[in-house]
Amino acid sequence: MNHPLGKENLSKLIIQYSIPSIISFVVNSLYNMVDQVFIGQGVGYLGNAAINVIMPLTAIMLALGLMIGDGAAAFMSLNLGQGNKKEAKQSVGNMCVLTLIAGILLMILFELFLRPLALLFGATETVMPYALNYGRIIILGFPFYAVSIAFASIIRADRMKQCVDF
């Protein structure tokens, strides 16, 4: 399969590859807006405030998963490009273990320091019970969230490797 990378006009490529990313961000924003509407209807404005207080914790987990996943994807791509399939496989395995460990460590740390973190991110005494309840539920999923974010980078890199005609 002949791939346009390196052959097409850069402006055309940027537009071609940025449109799916923009659509993804719009869908994610719509999901958050709908989530806020349902929480607002069910719990009220304090529930909405609790979600906003806990959001930085999920952003930290997202950043960590992206950092590990993108690094592993770049390393995997370099090894696949050099024909080192064994090292590429090992790098993905290492990424999986590292991401899982990081997710578990952050889950434990955030659970231990959830109250001070919620205060740091703006929780008032009226919002605090909602933020703690919501935060504890969200934090339980951090190891799985981290692995899914990291593997998204690996999948993209693997797909690009299959598309590019060396």
Side-chain angles (χ1 to χ4, degrees):
M1 176 178 181
N2 209 359
H3 205 272
L5 291 178
K7 298 177 184 131
E8 287 289 333
N9 182 344
L10 185 59
S11 300
K12 182 180 175 185
L13 287 172
I14 289 174
I15 291 170
Q16 179 182 348
Y17 286 103
S18 65
I19 289 174
S21 180
I22 292 168
I23 291 169
S24 169
F25 280 116
V26 169
V27 169
N28 191 27
S29 296
L30 287 173
Y31 168 77
N32 287 332
M33 288 170 43
V34 169
D35 195 27
Q36 289 285 337
V37 169
F38 280 109
I39 295 294
Q41 294 292 322
V43 179
Y45 68 94
L46 293 175
N48 285 344
I51 290 174
N52 292 325
V53 165
I54 299 301
M55 188 61 70
L57 300 179
T58 60
I60 292 168
M61 192 71 258
L62 173 67
L64 189 65
L66 284 171
M67 179 184 72
I68 295 170
D70 286 352
F75 191 72
M76 180 193 77
S77 294
L78 287 171
N79 280 306
L80 286 176
Q82 294 171 351
N84 302 330
K85 290 185 179 185
K86 183 180 178 187
E87 284 192 34
K89 288 178 184 179
Q90 286 177 336
S91 69
V92 173
N94 290 341
M95 179 274 312
C96 186
V97 171
L98 178 62
T99 307
L100 196 57
I101 290 170
I104 290 169
L105 284 176
L106 275 185
M107 179 182 70
I108 293 168
L109 282 173
F110 286 166
E111 177 61 34
L112 291 174
F113 298 105
L114 186 57
R115 186 174 190 78
L117 286 169
L119 284 170
L120 177 69
F121 294 129
T124 62
E125 286 306 314
T126 54
V127 173
M128 185 63 73
Y130 296 98
L132 294 177
N133 287 337
Y134 179 72
R136 286 195 175 100
I137 293 167
I138 293 298
I139 289 169
L140 285 176
F142 273 9
F144 309 105
Y145 181 54
V147 169
S148 71
I149 293 298
F151 265 109
S153 299
I154 295 293
I155 291 167
R156 275 192 305 274
D158 186 52
R159 178 69 183 125
M160 285 304 297
K161 173 69 175 109
Q162 291 174 5
C163 291
V164 176
D165 184 29
F166 288 105

